[in-house]
Structure formats: C-alpha cells, structure tokens
Amino acid sequence: MINNNIPKMKCLIIDDEPLARFYLKDMADQIDFLEVVDTCATALEANTKIQDNPIDLIFLDINMPYLTGLEFLEQLENPPLCILTTAYSEYALEGYRLQVADYLLKPITFNRFYQAVNRAQQQFILSEKSKKNTQLDDPFLYVRQSDTFIKVSWVDILYVESMQNYTKLHFKDKSIIIHQTMKAIEESLSSEHFFRIHKSFLINITHIEMISGGRLYINKTELPISRTRKEELLNQVVYKKLISK
C-alpha cells in the first residue's frame, strides 16, 4: 500500500541503448510511485540532469561509452538511490560495494523490476522519515565558508539560488554564498517546507507572499516558476490551503 505522505520518486533512466531506455520507461510508467523525469544516453548527459533536477532514483547501465556507469556513480558527491542494469553478472560485487539499491540483469522481467523498485522505495521512505524527524526537531544547520562554520536557522531561509557549483542562501537581511550544489542543499532541507520551483530556485514555502502566473514573490523579490513545477506547486502547497474557490 502506498503511503500518501511520501512523494513520488523522481527517476532518471541512463542507458546508451534506445530500446533499453524505452523498455525501462515503459515498466516504470506502470508503477504509481515512480515518476520518470527524463532518460539519458550517456553518463555525461545524466550528470547535467542530476545537477539541475531533484532526482531520487537512477536506473544506471554499467557499460556505456566515455564514462561507465560505475565510474559515474563513484564520482557523484551525493548520489541518488541507484538500481544498476547490465547484461554482465560479474559486476554484481561492485554494485554491493557502491551500496546500490539493487542489481538487475538484462533481459529484465517486470517481476524482477517490481521487486527492485519496491526495495528502493522502502529505502526512500526510511530516508524521508529520517530527514523529516531530524529537521523538525532541530531548526539549526551549519554552513561552511572556507574554514568558518556559520550557524543558520532553516526557518529563516527565504530561498536558495543555484550558481552552478555554488549556492546562495537568501535571508531577509543578508545572503550567504557556499560551495555546495543545489541538489545537496535540497536534500539537507525539509521537503515539508522547501519546494523546488525552478532548476535555479528552491523556496521556503512559509515565506511565499503571492503567486501570479509563472511568477512567485518572496520578500518583494520576483522568482520564476518553471512550467513543469507550477502544477505540482499548486497541488502540494496552494490548493491544500485555498479558502476561496
């Protein structure tokens, strides 16, 4: 039974074979707790997608040109949950070393696929509950600037702005630039209170002043909402508290 309080897992399929990508997406589309964000033919292409989008689970082929799946996984700073897919069984031990959620041998049956994603979802639920409990109990975080550690309250963060490998935390009276990716910041903050409205902006929903068209206002600052995120923002944040229909 699906827990309605647990969001769908946002997935990325990475495989250099078009038919394999199609087949994996077709199976994922049958699972109501999975949402396929995109598919990629190379690890290099996937790296950009993971930097720019919140991804909870990747289906990762091992044998790919330029950068293998294992090499790609090892270089990720904060890797999402991963299910390895390959035609070669000798990589299974490498998968366990990298602590992947599961290891699927091609050709992949739907039954085996379903087992793997259920295992990944259980890990995802535990992680979400752990993050939620920690963040609600303790409102304070530390951010690092060189050899200095600054204590901040996540409640006071208005929004977070991505600047490639840096992020800027915006407060009412100041901003702090830190050497951290947007994805890592997003994973550190409560999904109950923070929402990604755009690849470059993560907002604290308690500070929203107004939403108008494709724009959102916080502390009199206008921020863009991407078309793909607007409907989810309205459903998850606005409509639940809408008093005038």
Side-chain angles (χ1 to χ4, degrees):
M1 186 174 180
I2 304 302
N3 186 334
N4 291 325
N5 293 321
I6 302 296
K8 284 190 174 188
M9 299 178 71
K10 297 187 183 299
C11 307
L12 185 66
I13 295 167
I14 311 160
D15 199 305
D16 61 325
E17 298 175 16
L19 279 176
R21 295 196 299 274
F22 175 83
Y23 186 49
L24 283 167
K25 185 179 185 306
D26 183 59
M27 288 192 290
D29 286 344
Q30 310 310 310
I31 311 294
D32 57 4
F33 58 81
L34 297 181
E35 177 187 337
V36 178
V37 173
D38 211 337
T39 64
C40 300
T42 69
L44 297 173
E45 182 188 352
N47 192 55
T48 302
K49 300 287 184 187
I50 288 175
Q51 294 293 331
D52 292 344
N53 300 279
I55 302 294
D56 304 308
L57 174 66
I58 56 176
F59 296 94
L60 180 62
D61 184 31
I62 292 177
N63 295 89
M64 291 188 293
Y66 310 116
L67 194 66
T68 70
L70 294 175
E71 289 168 342
F72 170 66
L73 191 59
E74 282 189 294
Q75 62 88 36
L76 286 177
E77 188 177 345
N78 294 286
L81 286 167
C82 175
I83 295 175
L84 289 176
T85 62
T86 182
Y88 304 96
S89 59
E90 63 265 27
Y91 292 111
L93 286 176
E94 281 294 292
Y96 290 118
R97 180 179 68 81
L98 292 168
Q99 298 181 312
V100 300
D102 211 335
Y103 179 95
L104 295 177
L105 267 179
K106 297 176 181 179
I108 302 165
T109 64
F110 183 79
N111 179 53
R112 186 67 188 88
F113 178 86
Y114 189 62
Q115 288 176 355
V117 296
N118 270 289
R119 181 179 295 179
Q121 197 211 22
Q122 291 308 309
Q123 293 184 31
F124 178 66
I125 288 171
L126 289 173
S127 172
E128 287 293 298
K129 286 181 177 177
S130 173
K131 280 194 285 187
K132 196 174 294 184
N133 291 339
T134 300
Q135 287 149 355
L136 294 179
D137 291 343
D138 185 359
F140 296 107
L141 301 164
Y142 283 89
V143 295
R144 183 172 187 165
Q145 288 189 316
S146 187
D147 59 350
T148 302
F149 298 88
I150 303 170
K151 185 180 182 181
V152 300
S153 167
W154 61 259
V155 177
D156 296 329
I157 298 172
L158 302 180
Y159 62 95
V160 183
E161 181 181 1
S162 174
M163 303 168 69
Q164 292 186 326
N165 290 326
Y166 291 84
T167 51
K168 182 186 281 190
L169 308 182
H170 291 266
F171 300 86
K172 281 190 176 178
D173 56 354
K174 64 180 178 181
S175 61
I176 300 173
I177 296 176
I178 59 175
H179 183 53
Q180 188 61 278
T181 63
M182 176 68 94
K183 184 176 183 297
I185 292 291
E186 187 172 10
E187 290 178 349
S188 301
L189 295 170
S190 167
S191 58
E192 290 282 294
H193 297 88
F194 287 84
F195 189 92
R196 185 82 164 266
I197 60 167
H198 186 274
K199 69 177 183 179
S200 299
F201 294 101
L202 174 71
I203 59 123
N204 187 335
I205 64 173
T206 60
H207 293 292
I208 296 173
E209 293 168 352
M210 181 173 70
I211 299 169
S212 178
R215 300 281 160 175
L216 177 147
Y217 296 82
I218 292 180
N219 197 33
K220 298 184 175 59
T221 302
E222 181 183 291
L223 302 173
I225 309 169
S226 71
R227 278 182 288 180
T228 56
R229 302 295 287 154
K230 184 179 177 181
E231 185 177 351
E232 194 170 345
L233 174 69
L234 294 174
N235 287 330
Q236 289 190 17
V237 178
V238 178
Y239 294 153
K240 288 181 180 179
K241 296 180 181 292
L242 188 64
I243 59 172
S244 58
K245 305 295 184 184

